[in-house]
Amino acid sequence: IWELVSMPICNVTLRVSNMGMLSGLLQFIILSCLCLVLPDVTFAEGQVVANVVSIKGKAGAGPTEKALRPLKLGSSLFNGETIHTANGEVKLRFSDGSLLTLYKNTRFVIDDYHYVENDIDARRSHFSFITGFIHTLTGIIGKERPQNYELKTPMVMLAVRGTEYRVMYDDHVHVDVLDGAVQLSNKGGSLLLRAGQNALVRSILRIPRMIPGIIDIRPYRWSSTVKKGVNKLKVIPQAIPRAIRKLRF
């Protein structure tokens, strides 16, 4: 008698055929061998939405933070996955050509991403930024369907207009725009940021306000030396050399 059963292994669930004569021990051996031969295979439903194009240190991704698989160069990402960089730094390229760099101690969720070649209206990028520091260069969706692009944080929602921007979130949100424009909105109100402008959000109930200076990203860059302590917001003046202020992908 054959029966379809689900067996979780290597942070995924495989649907296998179970024959009455096949012992539990043999099933375990077969599935364990699959994990050894295919350590980075993800049997996730749906299409690949992004790939790792650069990685330093350690980072992981998975359906929950308790079920993360290690990421490596070329790893695939799927809808619904959480990415946690720990002390690593990872850069992703999405299907529409957008680039996303997640610096160390960052948690980020791909909520609902769809890029369809022949259906412009179906294209959308919906993300959640939980903590850390990110740098984004939007792709086709951000340029052609900006109304379908949104980045949620616990304090503010970001909408873009063909944009390159950076966001730091610790106990408040700091956004700076390098190109294009970003609309910040929360229960306190909204603020439009253009290239060269920066804003700080201290609460979901307080309107975002524009501030001078830009984010000092140096404490968030990957290092082979692990430093103790939590990175705090640090704003550096515009007089800092352009090589630091305009550090890009």
Side-chain angles (χ1 to χ4, degrees):
I1 298 174
W2 290 81
E3 180 186 2
L4 286 177
V5 297
S6 296
M7 299 189 65
I9 191 162
C10 294
N11 293 330
V12 300
T13 298
L14 303 178
R15 290 184 63 82
V16 299
S17 293
N18 178 38
M19 188 172 62
M21 298 293 294
L22 189 62
S23 70
L25 178 60
L26 183 56
Q27 292 180 41
F28 176 78
I29 293 174
I30 292 173
L31 295 175
S32 297
C33 290
L34 284 174
C35 286
L36 294 175
V37 176
L38 303 173
D40 194 50
V41 171
T42 302
F43 296 85
E45 296 182 0
Q47 296 181 339
V48 174
V49 301
N51 292 99
V52 176
V53 295
S54 175
I55 186 167
K56 301 174 183 178
K58 295 181 179 180
T64 68
E65 292 201 43
K66 294 183 179 180
L68 299 180
R69 68 187 185 283
L71 292 177
K72 64 182 182 181
L73 189 64
S75 290
S76 299
L77 282 302
F78 301 84
N79 272 320
E81 291 201 298
T82 296
I83 306 160
H84 191 182
T85 59
N87 192 48
E89 180 179 314
V90 62
K91 180 161 68 175
L92 310 178
R93 182 184 296 276
F94 285 82
S95 301
D96 71 329
S98 60
L99 293 172
L100 169 67
T101 300
L102 298 91
Y103 295 94
K104 64 183 182 180
N105 299 319
T106 294
R107 290 186 292 158
F108 187 91
V109 182
I110 305 173
D111 292 318
D112 184 18
Y113 177 93
H114 288 277
Y115 176 71
V116 184
E117 287 282 353
N118 56 357
D119 190 350
I120 296 178
D121 292 335
R123 298 173 182 174
R124 57 188 179 273
S125 296
H126 296 169
F127 306 115
S128 292
F129 178 37
I130 302 171
T131 189
F133 183 43
I134 61 171
H135 181 173
T136 296
L137 178 62
T138 59
I140 294 175
I141 296 176
K143 295 178 175 65
E144 296 184 355
R145 305 295 293 176
Q147 68 272 26
N148 290 349
Y149 182 105
E150 63 180 34
L151 175 70
K152 294 184 294 185
T153 77
M155 293 186 183
V156 67
M157 176 85 74
L158 284 74
V160 306
R161 301 178 184 177
T163 302
E164 181 178 4
Y165 67 92
R166 303 184 298 189
V167 186
M168 191 286 302
Y169 176 55
D170 188 353
D171 52 358
H172 42 245
V173 177
H174 185 185
V175 182
D176 66 357
V177 180
L178 304 179
D179 188 36
V182 172
Q183 181 82 29
L184 307 179
S185 302
N186 63 10
K187 293 181 179 179
S190 62
L191 174 69
L192 180 64
L193 288 181
R194 301 188 184 278
Q197 296 180 328
N198 314 273
L200 189 68
V201 185
R202 296 187 179 277
S203 166
I204 193 173
L205 300 176
R206 297 173 63 179
I207 187 171
R209 63 180 182 86
M210 204 172 297
I211 61 172
I214 53 90
I215 304 173
D216 180 4
I217 77 168
R218 290 171 294 178
Y220 293 89
R221 297 309 299 265
W222 175 82
S223 172
S224 58
T225 302
V226 179
K227 296 182 179 180
K228 297 182 179 180
V230 178
N231 293 313
K232 294 296 182 182
L233 172 69
K234 183 178 180 182
V235 178
I236 54 180
Q238 296 289 351
I240 292 293
R242 182 175 299 177
I244 294 177
R245 290 193 289 111
K246 289 290 185 179
L247 187 57
R248 297 173 180 260
F249 291 97

